[in-house]
Amino acid sequence: MNFSFTDEQEQLRSTLRRLLSERASSERLRAVLEAGEGIDRTLWSLLSEQLGLLGLGIPEEYGGAGFGPVETTVVFEELGGALAAVPYFSTVGLAANALLTADDEAARKDLLPGIADGSTPATLAIAERGGDGGVELAAVTTTAAPDHGGWRLTGEKAFVTDGLVAELLLVVARSDAGLGLFAVAGDAEHLAREQMSPLDPTRPLARIRFEGTPARLIGTDGGAEPGLRIALDRALGALAAEQAGGAARCLDMAVEYAKVREQFGRPIGSFQAIKHKAADMMVQVESAKSAAYYAAWAAADHSSEAALAAALAATYCADAYVAVAAENIQIHGGIGYTWEHDAHLYFRRAKSSQLLFGAPDTHRDRLAELVGI
Amino acid sequence: MQLTWSDEDEKFRAEIRAFLADHAPGRPPKGKDARLRFARDWAATKFDHGFAGPSWPVEVGGMNLPFTQQVIYQQEMARARVPSHPGTGMEMVGPTIIKHGTPAQRERFIKPMLRADELWAQAFSEPGAGSDLPSLRTTAVRDGDDYVVTGQKIWNSNAEIADMFFALVRTGAPDSRQHGITYLLIDAHAPGVDVRPLRDLTGAAHFCEIFLDEVRVPVANRVGAENEGWRITRTTLGHERSAGALNQGAFYRRIMDELIALAKERGVTADAGVRRRLVDFDIRARLMEVNALRSISQTMVSGEPGPSSSISRLFNSEFEKELHEFATDLLGAYGALATDDEDAIQRGRWVGGMLRTRASTIGAGTAEIQRNTIAEQVLQLPRDPAMPPR
């Protein structure tokens, strides 16, 4: 194992970065957010059709390109850096991983090709409405009951990322046998979805009500948990890469601004007060990258450290992103406090991704267990 | 997490393991003098068997190892817990002499340096020249074939055992700053040299002061040209520092394990706040290793260690300081005992470490200077116009 990226991986990064700078600019993002749906469908097509990124980490037998977590990490990092308004994390980080780690070959064959070619945006629903949010499997109360050879779900989920645009919902629900993973079509009957008003407008959230909604069981009845735990670790690694990419962009923004913004007749970046902030931001950004890459490499290697690395990355990257995004606003001063400036969009993304998938202390507690504290 | 190695690299690892199995000296003896002798003997053994100076050219007695094998060399030496090289700054003065010295200087100094027949100490800082080292005032005046050197140096670790100092002295005008500094190799036993121990805040003397009173230094001991000493002071060979970077991570992982064991023993891990803070330190220790792995991998691929290496020193120095502060907190009232009290926990190692690591963010460039360096040289932020030009 080598802890640096190959030429091909670096090329993927630069191609994607160029495309995003042209097609996912701040102006474009603002226009997409104004339009209300919170998803840039043109960008989504470019990513899936032109670059084939939806299937990047999906094995070839399911219509993907057969690469792994290291390659997708590059994509998550860049998309996070651009705050790209596409359901990539929900579709690839959550849903594809949930399918890949479930014990159900037929479901993989049926459902993954649609994810791989970009035709089926997807997501994973765990948190219950009225619950604590997060991804605590034990707190799932939505029920699943067998019905004429199929299943029906009843309950109400919340905080479902990209839950409104997803055409495939993977839902964690409880039957008499325990936790199961269920697939629900976006246009299923007895399904009601509504947009929540998210802190981070670039990552829409939905409340989803299941009122006897028809569903397909993925894997075995009551047997979802082991696969889901691995899937969630991979999702946390993906999220950490997004966070590292976002933090890196915040540092870039702050440094560029500090070079040109003049006060007292000189660039503010020439003051030590700003330099020291920037240096501390860089320490956090580089360490966040290390943490995210560590999680990716451990996952790619099927290392025994994979769970530990995911919890480590989840903890470190979440906090680092919030800290760096906050300092970015501070370095920008007044302009950073305006709606027009992007600094708050990064801060919103940082805070929301710090809290949506288990607050850092829950990851710390898991890490404590894993390292034996 | 592990790096993968080529067959050739693994062959080298087997060689160095065989050498260590046959020659590693085992546990160090008690007593300062005996321990120094022990470390010097080990340096000589390494040299005599061709295992000294991993990144240094073969012509001067080094091994000229490719970078990957330097990493293996450092790993295996750390694993075998052999003594480190006695003295201070061999990794600074050695490469400087090798790259910028005369053939006669290489001939005269490198082999005794590698064998620890002669011990070295650094003489850069002065009472009036710390972070602003280019303002140093120790003067060297040319007199025939000698320089006559007068001034005071401070914070010189190992000066009391050194045979030679590598020093920066002023040969230009008083205000010539970095344009009037010359690099000299000074005989520590020459007349006019007075080395005095400096008692530091820990209560012990880890450093010295060096007083130089009209010390005659042969011009032949000047490295590089007169007034051109500044630019060669940071000479290194083959990314030595990156090659050893993993060891510090591994070292702190061990310390973390020991701290976790202590915390459990004292029953403080039942507290969620304590547990989470321990986790945060554990994360940082692990990231130290990943940062090092990234620099090493990057150096293997591109020949340059990349951005993760530029933050390592700041990251690590803040870490070890805060870690010992936290460890001392965990001791409760026992954290208020000096290291020599009979009830001191683990013979005061954490309290002693808390005091000792005050130096982590001061020595070899303060944390503030590190931040300036990262900001200006990596992030390319503009210089403070009030600062003298670099």
Side-chain angles (χ1 to χ4, degrees):
Chain A
M1 170 111 339
N2 212 323
F3 299 86
S4 60
F5 293 99
T6 63
D7 288 347
E8 290 76 15
Q9 289 159 350
E10 289 296 355
Q11 207 173 338
L12 167 66
R13 183 189 297 284
S14 59
T15 305
L16 182 54
R17 185 171 293 189
R18 198 170 338 107
L19 177 120
L20 290 170
S21 73
E22 289 163 10
R23 308 299 293 266
S25 64
S26 171
E27 296 73 30
R28 172 73 190 163
L29 176 64
R30 300 275 174 163
V32 168
L33 297 182
E34 283 296 307
E37 195 190 23
I39 168 173
D40 186 342
R41 292 196 182 269
T42 313
L43 181 61
W44 183 252
S45 314
L46 283 171
L47 296 180
S48 56
E49 286 154 28
Q50 194 171 318
L51 297 183
L53 294 185
L54 271 297
L56 191 65
I58 292 174
E60 289 170 64
E61 64 259 43
Y62 311 122
F67 291 98
V70 177
E71 285 78 14
T72 51
T73 283
V74 171
V75 178
F76 284 114
E77 213 182 332
E78 294 306 314
L79 293 179
L83 290 182
V86 287
Y88 191 84
F89 172 75
S90 301
T91 305
V92 173
L94 291 170
N97 277 323
L99 287 169
L100 283 167
T101 53
D103 184 18
D104 193 332
E105 180 63 13
R108 276 197 288 273
K109 283 212 149 64
D110 290 347
L111 299 174
L112 282 171
I115 286 180
D117 68 16
S119 60
T120 315
T123 190
L124 175 67
I126 299 173
E128 303 289 339
R129 183 168 191 195
D132 294 338
V135 288
E136 182 50 64
L137 295 175
V140 166
T141 55
T142 292
T143 56
D147 177 62
H148 296 95
W151 292 78
R152 287 190 181 271
L153 306 184
T154 305
E156 188 170 10
K157 296 285 186 185
F159 305 106
V160 184
T161 56
D162 303 301
L164 223 55
V165 297
E167 290 169 30
L168 167 66
L169 303 166
L170 296 175
V171 183
V172 183
R174 195 174 289 282
S175 73
D176 291 343
L179 284 183
L181 181 67
F182 296 86
V184 173
D187 57 2
E189 53 176 9
H190 309 303
L191 178 72
R193 303 193 273 184
E194 66 175 7
Q195 200 83 271
M196 300 174 88
S197 183
L199 171 69
D200 169 17
T202 66
R203 174 158 286 155
L205 300 174
R207 274 182 284 269
I208 305 183
R209 213 162 52 244
F210 302 92
E211 296 160 325
T213 315
R216 168 182 179 176
L217 174 66
I218 310 285
T220 54
D221 181 19
E225 200 162 331
L228 273 173
R229 296 227 171 270
I230 299 169
L232 285 173
D233 281 343
R234 291 191 193 164
L236 287 173
L239 188 70
E242 270 196 14
Q243 289 165 326
R249 190 62 57 90
C250 287
L251 172 61
D252 289 347
M253 289 165 72
V255 166
E256 286 318 305
Y257 186 71
K259 284 177 187 170
V260 298
R261 167 71 173 174
E262 293 199 0
Q263 289 289 273
F264 307 100
R266 52 192 261 202
I268 60 167
S270 68
F271 292 104
Q272 285 202 38
I274 301 296
K275 282 189 181 138
H276 289 193
K277 275 187 196 295
D280 286 335
M281 288 163 79
M282 181 169 175
V283 169
Q284 294 179 83
V285 165
E286 285 303 319
S287 305
K289 286 183 190 172
S290 289
Y293 300 162
Y294 175 36
W297 283 315
D301 213 20
H302 300 286
S303 157
S304 57
E305 291 168 48
L308 188 152
L312 183 154
T315 309
Y316 191 87
C317 295
D319 288 354
Y321 190 10
V322 171
V324 170
E327 285 291 51
N328 182 38
I329 295 177
Q330 180 65 23
I331 288 177
H332 277 83
I335 191 81
Y337 189 68
T338 63
W339 180 260
E340 284 71 27
H341 200 278
D342 287 345
H344 75 98
L345 294 178
Y346 284 88
F347 183 67
R348 286 164 182 271
R349 168 64 73 84
K351 196 68 204 172
S352 109
S353 42
Q354 181 192 38
L355 297 175
L356 274 178
F357 304 94
D361 275 349
T362 66
H363 299 304
R364 279 190 183 87
D365 292 345
R366 196 158 68 96
L367 205 47
E369 251 171 65
L370 289 167
V371 301
I373 297 175
Chain B
M1 301 299 280
Q2 299 221 314
L3 294 157
T4 43
W5 308 97
S6 70
D7 291 349
E8 209 169 320
D9 292 340
E10 291 296 357
K11 206 174 125 235
F12 173 71
R13 189 187 296 278
E15 275 169 36
I16 192 167
R17 280 193 180 171
F19 164 68
L20 286 164
D22 289 347
H23 298 284
R27 293 176 71 83
K30 294 233 182 302
K32 203 175 172 209
D33 292 345
R35 253 215 294 275
L36 177 59
R37 187 68 258 161
F38 179 78
R40 295 181 81 145
D41 288 346
W42 170 241
T45 304
K46 278 196 296 187
F47 182 87
D48 295 344
H49 289 83
F51 281 97
S55 64
W56 296 11
V58 174
E59 305 84 81
V60 299
M63 301 170 77
N64 194 31
L65 293 177
F67 181 73
T68 48
Q69 292 176 18
Q70 290 181 46
V71 176
I72 291 171
Y73 178 96
Q74 299 295 351
Q75 281 182 324
E76 294 302 322
M77 289 290 170
R79 210 175 66 108
R81 309 250 180 135
V82 294
S84 50
H85 196 89
T88 298
M90 180 175 87
E91 70 289 349
M92 299 174 73
V93 63
T96 307
I97 294 174
I98 289 166
K99 273 200 185 166
H100 304 286
T102 62
Q105 287 169 342
R106 283 194 286 275
E107 181 68 22
R108 161 70 186 82
F109 292 114
I110 298 296
K111 180 181 163 188
M113 183 186 297
L114 283 170
R115 285 191 93 248
D117 294 331
E118 279 178 341
L119 302 182
W120 288 76
Q122 187 200 56
F124 283 9
S125 294
E126 297 182 3
S131 291
D132 185 17
L133 194 56
S135 70
L136 62 88
R137 291 196 314 208
T138 293
T139 54
V141 179
R142 184 77 179 256
D143 180 28
D145 289 337
D146 291 338
Y147 286 103
V148 179
V149 181
T150 299
Q152 185 193 345
K153 295 292 181 179
I154 194 170
W155 303 116
N156 317 105
S157 49
N158 290 311
E160 80 282 12
I161 58 168
D163 302 296
M164 293 294 300
F165 303 138
F166 58 105
L168 295 181
V169 296
R170 170 112 6 244
T171 40
D175 60 355
S176 57
R177 295 189 57 83
Q178 66 270 36
H179 308 293
I181 287 173
T182 296
Y183 198 116
L184 287 186
L185 310 176
I186 301 177
D187 180 351
H189 309 297
V193 174
D194 182 15
V195 175
R196 297 180 204 162
L198 174 68
R199 194 173 184 205
D200 59 55
L201 64 72
T202 66
H206 299 99
F207 299 93
C208 299
E209 291 175 287
I210 302 171
F211 294 85
L212 302 160
D213 182 15
E214 300 195 350
V215 178
R216 298 194 78 86
V217 180
V219 171
N221 279 16
R222 186 186 71 209
V223 185
E226 188 171 286
N227 292 331
E228 285 182 19
W230 182 255
R231 124 193 120 70
I232 63 174
T233 53
R234 285 187 188 81
T235 307
T236 55
L237 284 170
H239 302 295
E240 275 171 334
R241 226 180 66 198
S242 297
L246 263 181
N247 290 345
Q248 207 177 3
F251 174 74
Y252 269 103
R253 282 282 300 282
R254 271 207 305 278
I255 296 210
M256 268 318 297
D257 290 343
E258 288 160 6
L259 180 62
I260 290 168
L262 173 74
K264 283 177 163 171
E265 196 182 296
R266 300 192 56 75
V268 290
T269 50
D271 181 279
V274 168
R275 223 167 39 232
R276 288 167 185 169
R277 286 195 67 193
L278 273 171
V279 164
D280 281 332
F281 283 109
D282 195 60
I283 287 175
R284 286 161 77 183
R286 287 170 196 272
L287 287 181
M288 217 184 252
E289 259 187 309
V290 185
N291 281 338
L293 283 168
R294 276 179 69 202
S295 314
I296 287 170
S297 296
Q298 194 60 43
T299 310
M300 289 177 184
V301 173
S302 70
E304 290 300 324
S308 56
S309 73
S310 60
I311 58 136
S312 285
R313 256 208 66 209
L314 183 56
F315 184 94
N316 297 3
S317 56
E318 300 280 7
F319 167 80
E320 63 177 6
K321 194 165 83 167
E322 290 169 31
L323 176 77
H324 284 94
E325 288 166 3
F326 175 62
T328 302
D329 288 349
L330 293 185
L331 303 179
Y334 292 90
L337 292 179
T339 54
D340 58 353
D341 189 88
E342 64 179 41
D343 287 339
I345 291 188
Q346 296 185 347
R347 299 164 73 193
R349 69 174 282 197
W350 304 104
V351 174
M354 177 186 69
L355 294 174
R356 184 177 46 77
T357 54
R358 299 302 94 192
S360 306
T361 49
I362 299 174
T366 64
E368 288 70 28
I369 294 292
Q370 298 275 329
R371 289 185 172 90
N372 287 350
T373 306
I374 292 171
E376 290 171 16
Q377 295 182 12
V378 186
L379 298 173
Q380 301 286 309
L381 285 170
R383 296 256 307 156
D384 182 342
M387 293 278 277
R390 198 156 43 216

